[in-house]
Amino acid sequence: MCRRRYGMELKVRSGGHDYEGLSYTSDVPFVVVDMANIRSVDVDVEDGSAWVQVGATLGEVYYNIAEKSRTYGFPAGTCPTVGVGGHFSGGGYGALVRKFGLAADNIIDARLVNAQGEILDKESMGKDLFWAIRGGGGGSFGIVLSWKIKLVPVPQTVTVFRVNRNIEQGATALVHK
């Protein structure tokens, strides 16, 4: 109410970093709502889901999932210091995208505070708003407090390798194959 009365812009900052600096720049006076301390991750292995508060980082999400299960993961980004608030509301591209889709594709519920101060979940916000907060920029439609994510099955052992070849060693031919 006060923000609206004085024409101030509202900026929401979650728990990670902000490459573009959008949380701290504006052409008009603004207020920052810092969500960095709202960061719990509650994993439910039996249900195959987790409630993740908006201030958590991807590293905290991955760590909490790994503490509870050796066969569940979540398809999101590779940088552990990225905050889930911006990452999920921006779609959430990551290494598992080809098999499991974006992070946003694996969000099954959310809690959001709207401009009237009501706390909404997926059912009460409706399908259009639920769609919009998962890729359209969550801060435009209210303040997301937490996300319920669907965990995805991963092998207990994952092998990663890298092939280093330069031009003289046939790198171009390898790429063509």
Side-chain angles (χ1 to χ4, degrees):
M1 189 75 162
C2 196
R3 178 208 66 81
R4 209 178 293 147
R5 180 181 302 142
Y6 295 105
M8 300 179 83
E9 196 170 294
L10 186 68
K11 301 285 189 169
V12 181
R13 177 190 180 279
S14 70
H17 53 79
D18 178 7
Y19 285 128
E20 296 88 10
L22 299 177
S23 297
Y24 302 103
T25 60
S26 177
D27 293 331
V28 297
F30 64 97
V31 175
V32 175
V33 177
D34 190 345
M35 307 295 281
N37 290 325
I38 301 174
R39 61 185 326 116
S40 75
V41 178
D42 184 26
V43 177
D44 184 346
V45 175
E46 298 223 359
D47 184 43
S49 68
W51 273 103
V52 179
Q53 289 185 330
V54 73
T57 63
L58 293 179
E60 291 169 330
V61 171
Y62 298 148
Y63 181 86
N64 280 278
I65 294 170
E67 268 194 326
K68 300 279 175 120
S69 171
R70 302 288 296 157
T71 57
Y72 274 127
F74 186 71
T78 57
C79 181
T81 60
V82 169
V84 300
H87 187 67
F88 292 1
S89 67
Y93 184 84
L96 298 175
V97 69
R98 295 184 102 181
K99 183 163 178 86
F100 297 110
L102 299 170
D105 297 327
N106 293 281
I107 294 171
I108 53 180
D109 203 345
R111 291 194 181 108
L112 170 131
V113 176
N114 67 12
Q116 290 72 41
E118 302 165 316
I119 297 177
L120 308 175
D121 63 6
K122 178 182 177 179
E123 186 177 320
S124 61
M125 74 177 72
K127 66 180 181 180
D128 290 340
L129 181 54
F130 185 65
W131 175 84
I133 64 172
R134 297 175 300 135
S140 302
F141 306 104
I143 298 176
V144 176
L145 302 172
S146 58
W147 307 96
K148 186 175 185 181
I149 60 174
K150 176 180 69 175
L151 304 179
V152 298
V154 294
Q156 190 167 355
T157 302
V158 177
T159 304
V160 178
F161 67 92
R162 191 168 61 194
V163 177
N164 292 321
R165 297 271 167 87
N166 59 32
I167 299 281
E168 292 79 29
Q169 294 171 318
T172 305
L174 184 63
V175 169
H176 284 288
K177 286 183 183 181

